[in-house]
Amino acid sequence: VDLLVQVLREVKELVVLQKSEEETIKKLVDAMDQVLVEAGEVVVRQGEKDSSMYIVQEGDLVIERAPAGSEAPLTRPAGRGDYFGAVALLGRTPQKTTVRASTPCTLWRLDGRKFDEIVIQGGGLDEEEDDDEADDEDDEDDEEDGPTCTTADLREIFIVSDSTGESAKASVQTAMRQFDYCFGTTCGTSRTVVYRFVRTTSEVRKIVDQAREQEALLVFTVMEPKIHEALTTACKEQNVACCDLWGELLESLERKFGAKRSGVTGRRQVVSDEYMRIVQAIEYTRKVDDGVLPNQWDDCDIMLVGPSRAGKTPLSFYLAQRGFKVANYPLVPDEEPPAELFNID
């Protein structure tokens, strides 16, 4: 219990818990479920719709994240006192990592709905003080700079797109930087939920109904005329605050070019020769990483040589994403480099 209380207080993505009452933290601990996993078992997968956060009590795990455009995942170890899934918990977004147990593990799972019931809906912060204490601390309060986060002030932002929603999400996050005390999904006073690939009017109605219930601001980038009309009409009928992120821009471009927008949804990757060259470079770099397969080094464009743990692998994949086939070899004391290293043309 002490471990769970300590970790919940220190989760940087859940700023709201840093100001919560002790009773609220204890309620969260009581609401957590114990999860036992065996070695080799996958706890969560990247992209999986699981709005839960996990805290490690015992055991070792590996956390993997596959960056866009790269086939090689970034990995890091996790053990007692570590956590994962905090952003998914708060933002109701898919899991950002794949987590696999290296040894038998004991985990504690906090469900997103239980979190909302206890912290968001129930209010998890001290909002009243003893009158005498408040009088004594008036001077100190006056000296505090800027607004503070409270669960009672939490604002919901819904992002709706008929494609990936990435451009809308990036735009909203950039705008939120102007309100640094309520930034993105990692702050106690705001939460952003992204609805991707919305293609039917029934989906639109459900989202707008949810936005009305939660008094959310609905920001959308929808290109399909039928869905766009359904969304704007539903928001007007339900009196939901909304923002057509690209509406005025597209109308201005239509006037400028004297033409109508195409209405094509999403961005499509063109499979060009350049694209395939990058794919091949990434695959080659992955295969020969960390000094393996020296018989294939002659095919590389760049060979990186240096001490172990000097950052050769990240640099290799950075260059591979720019089309270079990169091999790397770690220099180890008392180990003779393979002859292939000196025969690269």
Side-chain angles (χ1 to χ4, degrees):
V1 173
D2 291 341
L3 173 68
L4 300 181
V5 170
Q6 179 183 351
V7 173
L8 286 173
R9 283 287 191 192
E10 295 175 354
V11 176
K12 66 179 185 299
E13 292 86 354
L14 303 180
V15 177
V16 64
L17 297 186
Q18 297 173 11
K19 294 179 176 289
S20 296
E21 296 176 333
E22 193 67 29
E23 181 182 353
T24 300
I25 301 296
K26 290 181 179 178
K27 286 181 179 179
L28 290 174
V29 171
D30 292 339
M32 298 179 79
D33 300 316
Q34 189 181 59
V35 179
L36 303 177
V37 296
E38 297 297 327
E41 185 176 346
V42 174
V43 183
V44 296
R45 294 186 183 277
Q46 185 171 345
E48 184 178 34
K49 293 183 178 179
D50 178 7
S51 57
S52 301
M53 186 184 79
Y54 297 80
I55 295 176
V56 184
Q57 178 183 343
E58 297 292 345
D60 298 316
L61 305 99
V62 175
I63 299 177
E64 301 179 354
R65 182 175 65 85
S70 174
E71 296 184 7
L74 303 176
T75 64
R76 61 181 176 88
R80 178 176 172 82
D82 289 327
Y83 65 89
F84 53 90
V87 173
L89 172 81
L90 186 59
R92 294 293 181 87
T93 56
Q95 291 286 340
K96 293 184 174 297
T97 58
T98 296
V99 182
R100 182 178 288 100
S102 303
T103 64
C105 297
T106 301
L107 312 176
W108 289 89
R109 175 179 176 270
L110 177 58
D111 180 74
R113 290 182 177 83
K114 292 180 179 178
F115 177 83
D116 281 1
E117 290 172 3
I118 295 171
V119 177
I120 307 302
Q121 298 171 9
L125 299 179
D126 287 318
E127 295 182 355
E128 297 181 358
E129 295 182 272
D130 181 83
D131 290 339
D132 293 334
E133 291 181 0
D135 291 338
D136 293 339
E137 295 178 4
D138 276 348
D139 292 339
E140 293 180 11
D141 292 342
D142 290 341
E143 294 176 0
E144 293 183 359
D145 294 327
T148 58
C149 301
T150 66
T151 51
D153 293 332
L154 183 131
R155 306 307 200 261
E156 299 276 3
I157 300 174
F158 288 5
I159 297 175
V160 181
S161 173
D162 50 4
S163 186
T164 64
E166 289 302 315
S167 58
K169 180 182 176 182
S171 297
V172 169
Q173 288 180 336
T174 300
M176 290 293 288
R177 294 182 191 278
Q178 300 299 316
F179 309 91
D180 58 357
Y181 56 92
C182 54
F183 173 40
T185 61
T186 61
C187 178
T189 59
S190 69
R191 176 169 59 183
T192 301
V193 180
V194 183
Y195 295 91
R196 298 176 169 87
F197 303 108
V198 177
R199 302 287 172 83
T200 65
T201 55
S202 61
E203 289 179 281
V204 167
R205 287 192 293 270
K206 290 179 181 178
I207 294 170
V208 174
D209 287 344
Q210 186 74 13
R212 177 179 55 80
E213 292 176 5
Q214 297 182 220
E215 298 182 356
L217 169 64
L218 199 154
V219 180
F220 61 92
T221 53
V222 175
M223 297 296 104
E224 170 59 41
K226 180 181 177 182
I227 303 302
H228 186 281
E229 182 179 357
L231 189 55
T232 53
T233 300
C235 286
K236 186 175 181 179
E237 291 175 349
Q238 299 273 17
N239 197 28
V240 171
C242 65
C243 174
D244 183 356
L245 200 58
W246 286 0
E248 291 189 13
L249 172 61
L250 290 171
E251 289 172 5
S252 298
L253 290 172
E254 285 180 339
R255 290 192 296 269
K256 184 67 176 178
F257 291 106
K260 290 291 184 181
R261 70 195 75 175
S262 68
V264 175
T265 299
R267 296 174 293 178
R268 291 172 173 79
Q269 175 65 55
V270 178
V271 183
S272 61
D273 291 341
E274 175 68 13
Y275 177 80
M276 292 307 301
R277 186 170 69 87
I278 293 174
V279 170
Q280 292 167 4
I282 292 172
E283 176 61 18
Y284 173 85
T285 302
R286 182 188 66 81
K287 288 194 303 182
V288 302
D289 182 42
D290 202 29
V292 302
L293 300 179
N295 60 308
Q296 296 188 24
W297 289 354
D298 199 44
D299 296 329
C300 73
D301 298 314
I302 300 172
M303 166 59 79
L304 300 178
V305 181
S308 184
R309 317 305 298 174
K312 296 183 299 299
T313 294
L315 178 57
S316 295
F317 282 100
Y318 174 85
L319 294 169
Q321 291 178 38
R322 281 144 186 83
F324 296 101
K325 294 182 179 180
V326 185
N328 70 82
Y329 177 77
L331 294 175
V332 179
D334 302 324
E335 181 178 299
E336 190 70 22
E340 288 86 349
L341 183 61
F342 305 98
N343 297 328
I344 297 175
D345 185 5

